[in-house]
Amino acid sequence: MDFTFLASTMVTLLKAVPTTLILFSLSIFFGGPLALVIVTMRVSGNRYLSGFAKGYIFVFRGSPLLIQMFLVFYGLGQFGVIRYSFLWPFLREPMVCAVLSLALCTAGYTAEIFRGGIRAVSPKEIEAARSIGMSGFLMVRRILAPIAFRHALPAYSTEIVLMMKSTALASLVTVWEVTGVAQRLISQTYRTMEVFLCAAIIYLVLNFIILQGMALLEYSLSRHRRAAPQPLKA
């Protein structure tokens, strides 16, 4: 094991971490609101909206992310309405295509996670909110959304970690994030073990930070479940 080579490889891969973080952050930033739209349609009670949401979730949960990314990167340019539109200067960029495919995919999974959180809300709490005259929007903001989010947070944290690991697929559409740079180093040095070991350490550290942040968020949102300190007995 050449530790000098490991150190130089780690420095090289760390330079690609900002690209990985940009991919991850943008996919979560755009995928989260889209998931809220999808889950709203899913639980709306409207047959057509609910059917569209079910179809969306089925397609993006049922097909591999790699194929979705290839379809976005290579397939959108096949349509003249897109190739000759104002969107084409953006959609021909590998970074934009990678973010778009990651966001669309995570929206499908996140929508189903949020739906599970909504179903975990007790009907009694909704009835209590209605009995005191809360409007629909106020009830969602003060009762439904906070409780549903707390229930969905453990599963959503897993989806967040999966999205961080899924950014590695962006290297296949020529986005040079950590995995892409690692593959390029391997093609130059033929030292697979050392390069992928450094890449694995980087992903482990990033996911550890994410999990710690999500654990702190869950802890702060669950204060009411922690036992109050007992008074000391004389």
Side-chain angles (χ1 to χ4, degrees):
M1 189 72 70
D2 188 346
F3 291 100
T4 302
F5 177 75
L6 282 175
S8 63
T9 299
M10 183 63 74
V11 171
T12 302
L13 294 182
L14 285 174
K15 294 178 181 178
V17 168
T19 303
T20 296
L21 293 177
I22 290 172
L23 277 170
F24 168 75
S25 302
L26 290 179
S27 63
I28 297 300
F29 178 78
F30 291 110
L34 180 58
L36 292 178
V37 174
I38 296 298
V39 75
T40 301
M41 297 169 65
R42 181 74 172 83
V43 301
S44 65
N46 184 288
R47 183 174 61 179
Y48 301 104
L49 293 178
S50 180
F52 174 83
K54 288 180 182 179
Y56 181 96
I57 293 171
F58 173 75
V59 168
F60 285 96
R61 291 177 68 199
S63 58
L65 175 57
L66 179 59
I67 293 178
Q68 297 170 22
M69 194 171 291
F70 280 159
L71 287 174
V72 171
F73 184 67
Y74 295 108
L76 291 180
Q78 305 298 318
F79 299 96
V81 66
I82 294 177
R83 191 167 61 251
Y84 299 111
S85 70
F86 70 96
L87 295 174
W88 182 239
F90 303 98
L91 293 177
R92 68 182 179 184
E93 295 295 328
M95 175 66 79
V96 175
C97 291
V99 169
L100 178 60
S101 55
L102 288 169
L104 291 174
C105 182
T106 191
Y109 285 93
T110 304
E112 198 66 6
I113 291 171
F114 287 168
R115 187 176 74 90
I118 292 172
R119 295 187 63 183
V121 178
S122 172
K124 295 181 180 179
E125 294 174 342
I126 297 176
E127 292 176 3
R130 288 175 176 170
S131 67
I132 61 175
M134 276 192 182
S135 63
F137 177 78
L138 188 62
M139 181 179 65
V140 169
R141 185 170 65 88
R142 290 189 175 180
I143 305 296
L144 188 60
I147 297 174
F149 184 71
R150 283 198 298 268
H151 284 294
L153 192 56
Y156 185 55
S157 64
T158 301
E159 173 61 17
I160 293 290
V161 171
L162 289 175
M163 286 310 300
M164 171 58 75
K165 295 189 290 186
S166 296
T167 58
L169 296 176
S171 62
L172 300 177
V173 292
T174 69
V175 177
W176 298 112
E177 41 70 61
V178 171
T179 302
V181 173
Q183 291 174 340
R184 187 164 57 184
L185 282 174
I186 291 171
S187 67
Q188 295 170 353
T189 63
Y190 300 101
R191 304 180 74 165
T192 305
M193 178 65 180
E194 293 94 332
V195 175
F196 276 150
L197 178 61
C198 291
I201 291 173
I202 290 174
Y203 281 112
L204 284 172
V205 171
L206 291 176
N207 284 326
F208 175 78
I209 295 173
I210 291 171
L211 287 174
Q212 291 303 306
M214 298 300 288
L216 287 174
L217 178 60
E218 185 175 358
Y219 181 83
S220 65
L221 293 177
S222 304
R223 295 176 182 174
H224 62 289
R225 294 184 177 181
R226 296 194 291 271
Q230 299 294 327
L232 296 176
K233 295 181 178 180

